[in-house]
Structures are given as structure tokens and as C-alpha cells.
Amino acid sequence: MRRRGRLAVAAAAVLALALIGSALAANGARSAKAPIIIGWAFDGNGSMAPFDGPALAAAKLQINAVNAKGGVLGRKLKLLTCDTQGNKPDVAKACALRLVQQKANVIFTTCDVDLAAPVVRVAIDRGILAVASCIGTDQMGPKRFGTKGRLAFSFGNVAQDEGSAMAQYAWNRGWKTAALATDTVIVYFRNVVQAFEARFRQLGGKIVTHETYQSLGGNNVQNAVSRLNSAKADVIVTSTAGAFGALSTMITGLRSVGNNTPVLNSWAGDGTYWLPANPKVTNYWFVTFASSFGDDPSKAVNRLAKQVKAATGGFITGPSAVDGVVTAIKRAHGSTKGIVLARVMEHFKNVPTISGNVSFSPKLHTVFGRRYRVIRIQNNVPKVVGTIVAKVVAKI
Amino acid sequence: MTVDWQTIADAFGLGGMYALMAVGIGLVFGVLRLVNFAYGQLVMAGAYSLAFAYERGWPVWVGILLCFAVVIVLSVAMDWVVFRPLRTQTPAVMLVATFAVAFLLQSIALLWFGSLGKIAASLSSLNQPWTVGGVDIRKISIVATVVAAGCLLALVLLLGRTNVGLHMRAAALDFRTARLLGVRANRVIGTAVLLSGLLAATVAVLMTVQTPLVTPDFALRDTILVLAGVVLGGMNRLISATLGGFAIGFASGFLGGALPTNQSQYLPSFLFAAVILVLLIRPGGLFTRFGQQAAERV
Amino acid sequence: MRRARAALELLAPVLLVVLVALFGTIVSSSTQTYVVTTLVNVAIVVALYLFIGNSGVLSFGHISFVAVGAWTAGILSMPASEKPAIMPSLVGFLRDTTVGNVPSLALAAAVGAAYALLVGLPLMRLSGLAAGIATFGVLEITHNVLRYWEKIGPGLNTFSAVPETTGLLQACVGALIAIVVAFAYQWSRYGRMLRATREDPAAARAVGVSVYGQRLLAFTLSGAVAGLAGGLYVHLLPVNAESFYLDLTFITLAMLVIGGATSLWGAVVGAVAVSAVDSFLAEAENGVNVFGRTLDLPSGTRIVVVGTLMALVLILRPAGLTGGRELRVPRALRRSVLTKFSA
Amino acid sequence: MTTPALELDELEVRHGAVQAVRGISLTVDRGEIVGLIGPNGAGKSSTLHAVMGLVPPGGGDVRLHGNSVVGRSPEDVARSGIALVPEGRRIFAELTVDENLRLGSAGRRFGDLDSVYELFPVVRDFRKRHAGALSGGQQQQLAIARALIARPEVLLLDEPSLGLAPQMVDAVFEALAQIRDSGIAILLVEQRAQRTVALADRSHVLANGRLRLTLGPDAANDTETLVSAYLS
């Protein structure tokens, strides 16, 4: 027994020593030319990893390209990363603090506002601009983070804009009635469908039914399938990510009972990794930032897509965010102070980036007005079938 | 409330699937007195095997063979590395150990295959329905239920009528005495673990029919529900455990259909409230004879 | 001698916690995050210990009490101006009431206790697996309701505007309060009665101890400590409903069992040891400097190593690192030092 | 001289730092009952456990018909022909009497049911009942019957009379005599010294892990010798 007690103490002591070691972590050495440091707290292996990873990889390429052309006002861009390991809140916060210690001028964060919150808090509390590459709600900004939230921006498309674009596309295709299927597990999914409904009604469309289900292990998708199958509509509209599990189940379920109603999804439904073998997916549409399948209207996009092996079009938000931040720094005459950059960015109006023109407003710190790619999947093969820009940002 | 025959058909299908999972969990409990929380990760591993085969374009039957091989190896390894050394420990330690194993397997899957998920090769034609009076009854519902009933029957006969089964029960009740009588206890328990592995692999094959995307948390929620169902039904007998599994699956499917759609997100609350209520009224199990208490290894 | 034993039983965990906190003062602000989290984890695991360790009944429901504590403290201490953004549907009195840091923690403990009492009233009649599944059901229901019911909280949103008042000092004090409460309880007659029911329920009943009553008392008390820990948590990190669900339940239970479920010392050692390994590996994945050398582990090492270590400790030392016993001083020391204490 | 059925040769057993058995040697031959008596903690049960392979011997040897069984697992020892009636009977209360009997033959031929029934009629009468429903004495009979069913060469009994009513003790000892007559070697561990000495062909007194004294049946009424053997 005494031995056990001692063992425990010894173990604790060793661990303590190890932690002391880690306390002496490396300090970022400052280079003489004073580069602009972008710190990126990304998710290396959790639920956001498939989105953060390609965005980060593509951003690196973009940063190299900017530096090759002489950098920003003569200063090089330097990227420092920290892995939040599945966006564990304590690791995320520690990462953000670490990046601050390493003198990051701008801090990039993960693709979900709730998971990004620890990082955003650390950055904006210290007057540093916080940028998300692909958060899709209107919450990355003052709406969610109050006055200091002025320093928070996202280069994702705001759900209100995306849902509105989806409605416009559906209406243009001649779909007059829609069945809504809301995945309630995250706010972005809900907002997209709400925005679709608002805009679709405005255009004169009719909503046949509202169904809800829960991805991420909820076992009621089959119930939603049966209900959707009994509703007669021109299109079934949903917003859910393939990786969250319910999408494959829902499409397989619908198609194997012989229901071939078109399904329209948001950027969340991008990618081919989730396509079931049999029956093959057909009559499936989604809107996205860019095509990751090599047929994007923009050559630059296609080149990047090939280099980073992106699973979804979200990868383009990484370099797009870099472009946006570079423009902001230029317009701020080289300042990297958070509030200065924020003031500039709030007035972005159709600022060109690799993923098209982006706009912000003092109220909306997430992109609207971007040109969406519409991709259709037939027999498991995706193909760009058009582009669309939302005329209005839907009110929800 | 919209309760129709379609809802009942869907609920029945879910019940059949959960009953099949319950047979495997109930068998391990019956023989090892162990609540194996990592059972779902066995199913997950099997499903990833199917996905592995699909990614390489192998025929479905090769994937199924691979699935069985992987799950069986994994379950036997689990028995050797974890269950055997802990056989005499308290239920809390054993349960937490299975948590650790589950957590570990899930982490490995996450690192190995990523969080996007992989599509599994499957017997997807089973997803097609027979339409009876306007109600779509998916073939998988029938298959799952029949397989569950078949496995249950086979195991009940094995446990009740054969010497191997007798030895299994004896080893479960009193490991040491069974060995003193000449029962090769580690071997018979290993057999039970192997059988539960077979069942897990079967579950993996059938579950991917309706849920073709395999993620690291594949079958996790289902395992939790089935565990609740098995305790609810009564863990001491395989039949009551299986019925418990069926009941919770059916209840889940039924409530999912009967709840207004905007309340569907509260389904877990309704379900677990029912579970708690039943446990308070019949702590020994819904399908056990009155007065029998579920007894875990103490 | 009895007093000496009691003194050590309290001092050992207190000292360990203070050491951890002192360690937190010499590290970088980023590493300090992990130290503070470790201290909050100590409070949670001590809450688990208070009930599970003394009663021998497994509970999967305690993280619910942590969650309601976090909800209480989070909602009430958030500035009223920030509330509408995160919690647009909040009911009136929650929307209009704002309290300070300390009252919010006290209320978190009170709500944790009240919820535990409410849940315990029916559930403490159960034992064994039925109790395990029923408490798990509580976790499921709590998580589900907190996640979607936007009238009483942020729903799916993260508590991103709660004042970050849990620093080293507050976390340390919180952990110490938890330890003192657990200690006082286990040395009280109620604690002894409950442990008697753990060893032999029938015998305890025979001498007039109400198993139900004693369990309910411990459950409520541990609910208070868990609620306090939840309050500390929400003042430390932007948490949401997912933060108080399966992962936290399993990791804290593992901490308890790994430390040794039947002693306060075991609970604290388990929480500190597992948190330390976990934090060190988390740091190492992003590169740490250990004695002059940079250690940079590949992504994902942490979760696999932590899982493996947990399984290994359980297999090799099923009674936990401390063997489930309180710390005793070696005999030689005992005479010289402890006689002074008891004198 | 033929090799004895069971032979313990300088057997030692350690439990951690404690030496429970310190080198004992004895033999049991076919058709013999050998008693092993002594106070609590003398090392009697440890001896049986070492024979069965439940604890590894710290030294010495155990031979069945001249072949060492040391190092084998309990189930292998049982299969090679040594049966133990464990302390506290250890019948499977949840199983039927019949199933308990079937377990006795695990891994060995299913032996002579009739002679077992003849020896213990109660086992036949309650065949279909749960073993837990039997009285203590009946359970002890079942435990012995279960050990006999596989026709072992050596039968070890650990305190078979513990907790039984006097008439039951009589019945059990009577049965043991009959079993001996059928040619089985019996090693009987008991606390009831006097009865054991009277029944056994010879009895060894064990104290502090050592054999102190060997008594013949005639010593059964020599209370003085018995008491002094215990107290030595």
C-alpha cells in the first residue's frame, strides 16, 4: 500500500516535471523584416478537420503566391499553425494564447462559430482580428460577440444568402413546391432552410411540408424519409453535411423506395465521399463556393483544387480569406491592428478574391453576394450546371 | 400525432436491428457478466472493413468476409487483452475498461479514416421495400428481425441443450469452480466472445444497408440505446434481453413517427424518460419474472 | 492517531492541488489554460467520488449536474446586453437578471444540488445496472433538453460571452472547496453510514441505516459540488451542451477509477494524473520544449495514447493508482511527524 | 512397491511473503482414505489448491500415478483424474441438479450414473430441481456426486462436513467409506479430527505448514494425543 501511494506521487512528480518542460515552449523569433504573422488555430483531426484541412492547405499555397510577388507592402506573410485537436475548448483556447504569444497579427479559426468561440474570444479580447475561413452563420461578428465582435469575420457564405440563392435557383428551374427537411443539429443547417423558405415564398413558391431530423447518430432519419416520401413536392430541400451521417441514409432511403424527387442541399452537401454505391445518387443538387471536381469556371480554382486534393469546395475559403485580409491590410496602409482592419473590412463591397467577389457590412461579417456554383450529381457523377448570385439576403 | 402503418413498419425494422444487437450484448453479459460498451465499436470496425473493400472495388462478398474476419479477430483480442485480466474485477472497473477500449478504437478509426466518413459496400438491394397495402416494408426490416430471431433461437438452444452451453453458463456463474470440474473456462468464454463477434459482424453488414456512411461514431448511439433496452428487458436471460432490445428499437421508431416533426429533436428525452419510468417500476427487467433482479458481477 | 490520519487525508489532496496551482503560476498563459482546466476537473471528479466512492453505486448522471451548474452560472452572469445575441428566446427573469461571479457560482451549486435531489428522489431506490442505466438516462435527457430548449439557455450556441473569471486562483479555491466538502462528508457519521451500506447493505439496514436516505444525501451533496464545478467551467471556457455529455462523463469516470474510486486521494490523483498526461500530449502535438529538445508528436497521438494508457492502467492496476486508499505516511515518518500534528 | 495414486513430495506453497505449506510429503493409494487435519490456517486448503493447480507450488512435486501434474491448469488436473470437492460445496445454485452432475464430467467420460444414484439417492430424486433449492446436506451430497461422476482416480475433499447437521455428517462419512471401497484414492481435509482419524487409513496432522504427526485409526479415541498434536 505504501508503495502504491509513493508510485502515485512519483507519477505525479514526473508529469509535473514534463509540464514544466513544456512551459519553456519556444518563443517565436522575430525576423528583421517583420513579417505579417497569420496564426491559424485549425482542427487537425476532429469533425471540422475535413473543412479546415483543405482550406489551410490552399491558404498556404496562396500565401506562397503572395510572398513570391513581394508580399504585402514589402512585408512577407508568415503562417503559424496550432492544432486544436478536435476543437476541444481548452486546447483551442491554449492554441489561441500560444499564437498570441508568438505575436500573431491576425488569428484564423475553425469553420464553426461555436467551436471557434474560445479562439475568437482570445483574439478579439486582445484587439486582434479573428477570421474564420468558412463559418456560414451570421454569428461571426457583433451579433454574437458584442462590441468586440466587430473584430470577427468569416469568409464563408452567410446562410441567409445561401438559402436565398438556393430558392432563386429552385424557382428558376421551375420547381414551384418544396418539401423542407431540417437537420436541427447545428444552427447553420437550420438557418439555410429558413432562408430558403423565406425567399422561396417571396418568389411565389409553396412549401408542402416541414420535416425535421437529427444527424450525428440520431436514428429518426428513416421516419423523415417515410414522411418525405409521402409528401408530393417538386423538390426536397435540406441542409446537412454528408459527414454527419444522415445524408447518405436519407438519399438511399428515398431512392430505394423509388422516390426520385430532386434534392437540393447547401454547401454542407458538397463532396462525393458520402455517395452510396447502390442505388447511385441522381437528381441531387447543391450550391457551393467552388467546384472541387476540376470543372470550376475559374482556372485558378481548378489548379488549387488539384493541388490540395479537396473533398469539398470549401477549400477555396482559405485562400479567399488570405486575399481578403491582404486587401484589408493594403487598404489600411499596412496596419495590422484589429480595429483598423475591421473598419476597412466592414466596408468591403465586391472585393475580388480567388473565390469571387465578397462583401461585408457593419452588421453582417459573413460573406454575402458571392457567386455560387450549382453542382448536380447524376449517377454519382458531379458536374457544374450553373452559377447563381442571390439577389437579396433573406431575412429570417 | 400521426400514427400509421408506415410508422409501425419502420419501427418494426428498427426493433429487429436492435434485437440483433441485443443478442450479442446479452450473450456477453450472460457469459462474462460484463456490460461491453465497446460492442458498438466492433460493429464500427466491421462497417469500416466493408468500406475498405468498397473503396478498392472488391465484390460485396469479399467485403463481408473481411468484415467477419476483422470483427472476430478484434473481439478475441479484446477478450485476451482486456476481459481476461479483469475477469475478477468490479463491474465499475470492467465497464470503465470497456469505455477506454471504445474510446481507443474510436480514436484509431478517426485518425485512420478521418472524420468525413467512408461509404460501405453493402447488400443495398435489401433496402428496397415490399409494398403491402400502400405501406413500404423494407426487406432489411424483415431480414434483421428474422436473423435476430434465428440467432436468439440458436443461442438459446446452444446454451440450454449442449454441453458447451452448459459449460459457458457454469463459467459465467463460478469461473473457478467450473475450472476445477475440468471446464476449459477460458476457452468456452472465448467461444462466447467469438459468437458475439459473429453477431457484431452480422449487425455491421445489415446496418450498412440503411446507413451506408461509416463514421468513427458509427453504431455508438445505437449501442447506447440497445444497452438501455437490454437492461430494461432484463439482462439475466437472453430472451428478455433481446426483447428489451427490440422494445427500445420499436419505441424509438414509433415515437420518431408519432411525435410531431418539430418535436422530433426531443425524441431521446421521451425515450429515456420511458426507460427510467420502466426501471423504477420493474428494476429487474420488463420481461423477467416478477422478483428477479438483474445481477451483475460483484 | 485518528486525528493525524484525518489531517493527512485532507492535507495530501489539498497539497497536491496547491502544488498544481503553484505550477500554473510559472508557466505560459497558454499552458496555464490546461492547469486551470485540470483544477476544474479535480472538482468534478471529487464530486463523482463523493457519491460513487462512498456509495459504491455507479452514476453516469453527474455530468448533468455539472451542466445545469454551468447553465445557471453562465446565463446569470452574462451581461444583459449580450444575452439576446446568444439566447434570443430566453424567458423573462433569466433575461433580465444578472449576478456577479461569486453569487453565480453559489447559485450553480444550489441548482446542481436541487436538480440532484429531484433526480435522486426516485432514482436512489435503484442499484446496480438499473441505477447505471437510469442515471445515464438523466444524462441523455439533460443533454437533449439543454441542447434544444432555447427558453432556458443558448441551445446549440456556445456560452461565448460569459466573463472569464475562472483563473488559477478561482479554480484552485473551487477544487479546495470540493475537497473540503468531500472530506467533511466522509468523516461525518453520514459518510460512515453510507460506506457501511457500500460494504454490506443488509448489515447496514439491520442496524437502522436507511440506504435510500444516505444515498440521496450523498447524491444531493455531490450534485452541489458538481454544480459548482460546472459554474467554474463556464467561467473558464466557452462551453456548450456538447461539452457536458459523453466525453466528459467517460473521461471523468475514468479519472476516478484510474486514481482509485474509493478514496478522496485517489480521486484527486486520478484527476491530476490523467489531466496532466492529456494536457502534456495536447501541447506536444503542437511542439513543446522538453529539457531543451523540441518534442513534436504527430497529430492524433494524444487521443490514442490517452486511450491506451487508460486501458493499461485499468488492466495492470484495477484498483487504481492509489489502490483506492487514502495516503498513509511510511511508518518511520509517521512517528516523528504525525505525533506533532496530533499533539 | 507400486507407485501410489497420489503422491505429494516436499510440496511448498507461498502466498506472497507468507509460506503456507513448508514441504510436506504424503501418499494416497487406491482404496485408501488419507486424512489431513489441523487447526485453521495450518495449510490444509493451500495443499489441496496446490494439487489442483489453483496456486503454483513454491517447490516440490505432485504426482498422479508417478506423473507430475505440477504446472498444469486446474482444468487439466481435473481432466487427468483428480477431482476436488471444494470447501463450501460450490454447487451451481442456478442450475439444475442434473446440470450440476453433467458439469462434473466436463472433459472426461460421463461416468457411472447408477452407482452415483445408488450412493446418493437424493441426487436422482431432485434431478430437475434447481440445486439451490436443496438443503445443505443434500448440496454436499450433490457436490460429492458431481466429483465422482467422471470416475476420478483421486478424490480430494475440503471440509465436507462444514456446516452440516450431525446426521448429515454421518451420511457423508458413510458415503466416503463406500467410495473408498470402490477403489478410489481419497485425500480428506477436515476439521473434525476425531471422526476423520477414525475413518481414515491414516491421518496426518498439519500445523504451520508442516506435517507434525501421523495417526492410525486406533488413535481416534486417544484424545490426549489428538489435542497435543493440535497444540504442538
Side-chain angles (χ1 to χ4, degrees):
Chain A
M1 174 218 54
R2 274 188 288 148
R3 219 183 40 143
R4 279 182 186 161
R6 270 191 217 157
L7 254 180
V9 174
V14 169
L15 292 168
L17 277 177
L19 270 174
I20 289 174
S22 75
L24 312 166
N27 290 319
R30 292 196 70 179
S31 104
K33 290 162 199 165
I36 296 165
I37 299 175
I38 295 177
W40 196 320
F42 72 104
D43 179 3
N45 51 34
S47 60
M48 284 295 133
F51 307 106
D52 284 9
L56 175 59
K60 274 183 192 158
L61 296 172
Q62 194 73 353
I63 286 171
N64 290 344
V66 170
N67 286 341
K69 286 183 198 154
V72 185
L73 305 175
R75 292 167 74 189
K76 296 260 150 114
L77 292 179
K78 186 177 166 193
L79 181 69
L80 294 174
T81 59
C82 186
D83 184 351
T84 61
Q85 300 161 37
N87 282 311
K88 275 187 67 183
D90 53 340
V91 185
K93 185 176 176 182
C95 262
L97 288 166
R98 185 189 175 104
L99 292 170
V100 169
Q101 282 158 31
Q102 293 169 337
K103 311 250 185 301
N105 300 106
V106 179
I107 290 181
F108 278 42
T109 183
T110 196
C111 280
D112 176 276
V113 73
D114 291 303
L115 298 175
V119 177
V120 175
R121 278 293 299 267
V122 167
I124 63 180
D125 281 352
R126 286 161 185 74
I128 299 172
L129 189 75
V131 175
S133 62
C134 51
I135 288 173
T137 58
D138 58 356
Q139 303 197 359
M140 186 66 181
K143 177 172 179 189
R144 177 65 176 275
F145 294 100
T147 339
K148 284 177 183 159
R150 230 182 138 182
L151 305 188
F153 288 85
S154 168
F155 283 81
N157 292 316
V158 70
Q160 284 85 332
D161 188 67
E162 190 169 3
S164 168
M166 285 162 68
Q168 250 169 263
Y169 186 79
W171 186 254
N172 294 350
R173 274 208 79 88
W175 295 329
K176 307 286 179 220
T177 55
L180 304 183
T182 308
D183 181 0
T184 65
V185 299
I186 65 174
V187 176
Y188 163 69
F189 293 167
R190 293 200 300 212
N191 286 356
V192 168
V193 178
Q194 286 164 346
F196 175 92
E197 180 178 3
R199 180 68 177 137
F200 196 58
R201 283 184 193 280
Q202 202 178 37
L203 290 166
K206 205 176 142 229
I207 304 298
V208 179
T209 179
H210 297 80
E211 301 300 339
T212 65
Y213 61 95
Q214 283 75 44
S215 61
L216 294 174
N219 56 7
N220 58 1
V221 188
Q222 215 59 47
N223 296 114
V225 168
S226 289
R227 286 165 160 174
L228 288 169
N229 188 38
S230 61
K232 295 278 166 277
D234 294 337
V235 61
I236 295 170
V237 176
T238 192
S239 177
T240 187
F244 284 26
L247 185 56
S248 316
T249 308
M250 184 162 71
I251 306 283
T252 312
L254 280 170
R255 298 305 186 232
S256 44
V257 292
N259 184 316
N260 283 316
T261 311
V263 174
L264 178 60
N265 201 339
S266 66
W267 165 60
D270 194 350
T272 51
Y273 61 90
W274 60 272
L275 295 176
N278 180 28
K280 288 199 166 109
V281 173
T282 277
N283 252 350
Y284 173 83
W285 275 265
F286 60 90
V287 298
T288 183
F289 299 98
S291 167
S292 57
F293 312 113
D295 60 343
D296 195 85
S298 154
K299 283 212 181 77
V301 167
N302 288 334
R303 217 171 25 245
L304 264 184
K306 211 170 161 189
Q307 277 173 284
V308 300
K309 295 194 190 90
T312 81
F315 77 96
I316 206 67
T317 59
S320 175
V322 171
D323 286 349
V325 168
V326 166
T327 305
I329 294 174
K330 281 182 182 159
R331 289 189 184 177
H333 311 294
S335 170
T336 53
K337 275 187 74 176
I339 187 66
V340 179
L341 294 177
R343 265 190 223 126
V344 172
M345 285 172 71
E346 277 176 350
H347 296 99
F348 268 17
K349 199 102 207 143
N350 288 325
V351 169
T353 72
I354 186 166
S355 71
N357 296 346
V358 302
S359 304
F360 294 118
S361 72
K363 267 182 86 178
L364 218 46
H365 282 205
T366 309
V367 172
F368 55 89
R370 213 192 232 131
R371 183 166 291 278
Y372 294 88
R373 276 58 164 161
V374 183
I375 294 178
R376 179 185 191 183
I377 293 181
Q378 286 291 94
N379 289 316
N380 280 7
V381 179
K383 191 168 174 289
V384 174
V385 293
T387 63
I388 189 153
V389 179
K391 283 214 180 72
V392 295
V393 177
K395 283 214 165 45
I396 56 172
Chain B
M1 293 277 261
T2 49
V3 180
D4 51 25
W5 287 107
Q6 187 60 55
T7 301
I8 290 174
D10 292 343
F12 195 82
L14 199 56
M17 187 70 73
Y18 283 8
L20 188 55
M21 287 186 81
V23 182
I25 289 173
L27 177 68
V28 171
F29 180 82
V31 175
L32 272 86
R33 301 278 130 174
L34 164 77
V35 178
N36 185 6
F37 191 82
Y39 196 75
Q41 277 65 31
L42 289 177
V43 177
M44 179 265 291
Y48 268 116
S49 314
L50 293 166
F52 187 84
Y54 173 69
E55 219 173 26
R56 276 151 195 76
W58 298 346
V60 175
W61 65 268
V62 177
I64 292 175
L65 277 185
L66 183 70
C67 166
F68 274 82
V70 166
V71 177
I72 284 167
V73 167
L74 206 57
S75 44
V76 172
M78 227 189 251
D79 183 42
W80 270 82
V81 180
V82 187
F83 299 164
R84 269 186 205 195
L86 293 179
R87 202 156 275 161
T88 52
Q89 294 303 322
T90 61
V93 171
M94 286 173 88
L95 188 61
V96 173
T98 68
F99 284 162
V101 172
F103 178 73
L104 182 62
L105 290 176
Q106 208 172 316
S107 307
I108 291 173
L110 180 66
L111 291 181
W112 216 335
F113 302 106
S115 58
L116 267 188
K118 302 252 177 228
I119 283 292
S122 69
L123 306 165
S124 42
S125 55
L126 287 180
N127 209 10
Q128 282 154 11
W130 282 305
T131 308
V132 183
V135 176
D136 293 324
I137 303 168
R138 291 178 194 272
K139 289 174 188 161
I140 185 72
S141 306
I142 313 279
V143 171
T145 312
V146 169
V147 171
C151 290
L152 177 64
L153 186 71
L155 283 174
V156 166
L157 287 178
L158 177 81
L159 286 174
R161 299 285 169 83
T162 68
N163 274 330
V164 180
L166 180 62
H167 293 176
M168 276 184 197
R169 283 186 288 156
L173 292 166
D174 186 342
F175 189 74
R176 196 164 111 148
T177 306
R179 293 184 78 187
L180 284 173
L181 295 173
V183 172
R184 294 196 194 279
N186 274 323
R187 197 182 288 181
V188 296
I189 285 184
T191 310
V193 170
L194 194 87
L195 288 174
S196 81
L198 280 174
L199 286 163
T202 312
V203 171
V205 171
L206 294 182
M207 206 170 247
T208 48
V209 170
Q210 281 194 301
T211 315
L213 188 82
V214 188
T215 47
D217 61 355
F218 190 81
L220 178 69
R221 293 286 313 163
D222 307 281
T223 309
I224 290 173
L225 282 176
V226 172
L227 277 175
V230 159
V231 173
L232 195 72
M235 283 205 107
N236 267 355
R237 281 161 66 229
L238 202 50
I239 296 182
S240 51
T242 310
L243 284 175
F246 182 87
I248 200 141
F250 188 86
S252 180
F254 186 79
L255 275 172
L259 282 176
T261 183
N262 60 356
Q263 297 298 313
S264 75
Q265 58 202 20
Y266 291 113
L267 174 61
S269 291
F270 286 103
L271 209 53
F272 276 96
V275 166
I276 292 174
L277 205 65
V278 173
L279 284 174
L280 287 173
I281 298 166
R282 304 209 52 169
L286 196 54
F287 302 111
T288 48
R289 267 162 274 152
F290 195 76
Q292 254 182 351
Q293 288 283 326
E296 72 272 52
R297 194 184 202 122
V298 182
Chain C
M1 212 53 215
R2 205 179 110 90
R3 271 172 59 197
R5 230 179 76 210
L8 187 63
E9 221 169 290
L10 177 64
L11 280 179
V14 164
L15 210 64
L16 183 56
V17 161
V18 172
L19 275 178
V20 170
L22 285 177
F23 171 69
T25 59
I26 60 164
V27 296
S28 69
S29 65
S30 129
T31 308
Q32 206 182 68
T33 310
Y34 294 116
V35 179
V36 181
T37 312
T38 300
L39 293 171
V40 178
N41 284 341
V42 168
I44 299 178
V45 178
V46 167
L48 285 176
Y49 158 75
L50 208 164
F51 177 71
I52 297 173
N54 286 309
S55 73
V57 178
L58 211 50
S59 161
F60 296 109
H62 271 68
I63 297 304
S64 323
F65 312 139
V66 179
V68 296
W71 248 240
T72 308
I75 293 165
L76 291 179
S77 63
M78 201 184 286
S81 59
E82 306 272 3
K83 287 185 187 184
I86 294 164
M87 304 177 287
S89 326
L90 208 58
V91 293
F93 80 97
L94 290 177
R95 195 178 56 221
D96 305 330
T97 318
T98 302
V99 303
N101 171 42
V102 173
S104 80
L105 292 175
L107 283 167
V111 173
Y115 188 46
L117 177 65
L118 186 76
V119 165
L121 276 171
L123 257 51
M124 286 300 106
R125 300 185 184 285
L126 299 173
S127 56
L129 275 176
I133 294 292
T135 49
F136 196 94
V138 172
L139 177 71
E140 282 284 342
I141 293 171
T142 311
H143 169 253
N144 186 237
V145 169
L146 292 183
R147 189 176 171 162
Y148 290 114
W149 199 15
E150 292 169 350
K151 286 202 166 107
I152 57 155
L156 294 167
N157 290 339
T158 296
F159 276 106
S160 46
V162 180
E164 284 184 25
T165 48
T166 300
L168 261 185
L169 182 66
Q170 178 153 316
C172 181
V173 171
L176 291 179
I177 291 174
I179 288 171
V180 169
V181 168
F183 170 81
Y185 173 77
Q186 77 182 13
W187 276 84
S188 73
R189 56 189 292 262
Y190 304 109
R192 272 179 280 132
M193 280 198 272
L194 185 61
R195 279 200 303 284
T197 71
R198 179 186 78 195
E199 303 305 334
D200 189 344
R205 263 192 209 100
V207 296
V209 176
S210 155
V211 177
Y212 169 74
Q214 293 305 324
R215 282 185 185 169
L216 186 60
L217 176 67
F219 199 65
T220 308
L221 198 56
S222 74
V225 177
L228 171 69
L232 293 171
Y233 226 120
V234 80
H235 281 294
L236 166 67
L237 289 167
V239 287
N240 64 9
E242 294 317 295
S243 312
F244 305 109
Y245 191 39
L246 295 179
D247 284 355
L248 191 63
T249 302
F250 295 160
I251 197 89
T252 49
L253 271 177
M255 284 174 182
L256 179 65
V257 173
I258 281 173
T262 47
S263 73
L264 179 56
W265 174 233
V268 177
V269 166
V272 171
V274 175
S275 304
V277 172
D278 193 38
S279 312
F280 177 72
L281 291 169
E283 287 266 83
E285 275 190 36
N286 284 310
V288 288
N289 208 324
V290 186
F291 305 121
R293 277 194 207 150
T294 304
L295 177 66
D296 200 347
L297 297 173
S299 171
T301 314
R302 175 177 61 84
I303 48 179
V304 172
V305 172
V306 169
T308 312
L309 278 181
M310 285 193 324
L312 269 181
V313 171
L314 289 170
I315 291 163
L316 299 177
R317 297 185 76 85
L321 292 171
T322 65
R325 294 182 182 86
E326 300 298 349
L327 187 69
R328 303 267 169 89
V329 169
R331 217 166 278 161
L333 258 179
R334 217 184 273 170
R335 254 175 239 132
S336 60
V337 179
L338 286 184
T339 41
K340 284 176 200 156
F341 266 116
S342 50
Chain D
M1 207 180 109
T2 54
T3 42
L6 178 71
E7 190 178 0
L8 275 54
D9 184 4
E10 288 297 320
L11 185 70
E12 293 183 21
V13 181
R14 277 190 203 91
H15 295 302
V18 184
Q19 181 130 21
V21 179
R22 303 158 186 261
I24 66 171
S25 299
L26 58 85
T27 59
V28 191
D29 217 335
R30 290 170 50 85
E32 254 186 2
I33 294 180
V34 172
L36 198 56
I37 57 178
N40 262 336
K44 304 186 303 279
S45 290
S46 296
T47 304
L48 294 189
H49 290 168
V51 172
M52 289 308 294
L54 280 173
V55 289
D61 201 3
V62 178
R63 285 187 286 272
L64 176 67
H65 293 306
N67 302 317
S68 175
V69 296
V70 167
R72 295 197 198 173
S73 66
E75 51 264 44
D76 283 342
V77 174
R79 281 158 182 255
S80 65
I82 306 180
L84 171 70
V85 180
E87 189 179 353
R89 306 187 273 275
R90 292 274 172 186
I91 56 137
F92 292 95
E94 295 89 341
L95 303 182
T96 63
V97 169
D98 221 14
E99 286 172 330
N100 268 280
L101 276 186
R102 270 165 62 201
L103 277 171
S105 69
R108 270 172 77 83
R109 59 192 180 265
F110 193 72
D112 191 357
L113 205 53
D114 286 335
S115 67
V116 170
Y117 282 162
E118 198 182 314
L119 204 52
F120 301 112
V122 62
V123 170
R124 179 181 51 212
D125 298 343
F126 294 137
R127 246 182 353 223
K128 300 282 174 215
R129 283 223 203 147
H130 280 274
L134 302 185
S135 74
Q138 291 166 334
Q139 289 186 3
Q140 186 63 65
Q141 295 184 20
L142 170 60
I144 299 173
R146 185 178 67 178
L148 284 178
I149 199 82
R151 303 188 104 185
E153 274 112 52
V154 176
L155 181 65
L156 314 175
L157 297 104
D158 197 351
E159 311 260 4
S161 74
L162 199 70
L164 295 189
Q167 300 99 308
M168 267 303 154
V169 178
D170 290 345
V172 166
F173 274 67
E174 213 166 282
L176 290 182
Q178 285 184 40
I179 296 164
R180 162 172 60 188
D181 295 343
S182 73
I184 291 177
I186 298 176
L187 180 60
L188 172 63
V189 161
E190 260 293 350
Q191 290 241 43
R192 289 175 198 258
Q194 200 169 15
R195 298 215 47 170
T196 306
V197 172
L199 172 73
D201 295 274
R202 59 186 175 280
S203 300
H204 303 289
V205 181
L206 192 61
N208 287 325
R210 285 202 178 87
L211 291 188
R212 290 296 159 113
L213 192 62
T214 304
L215 304 167
D218 46 343
N221 296 321
D222 186 351
T223 321
E224 211 170 300
T225 314
L226 276 175
V227 170
S228 64
Y230 262 73
L231 295 179
S232 63

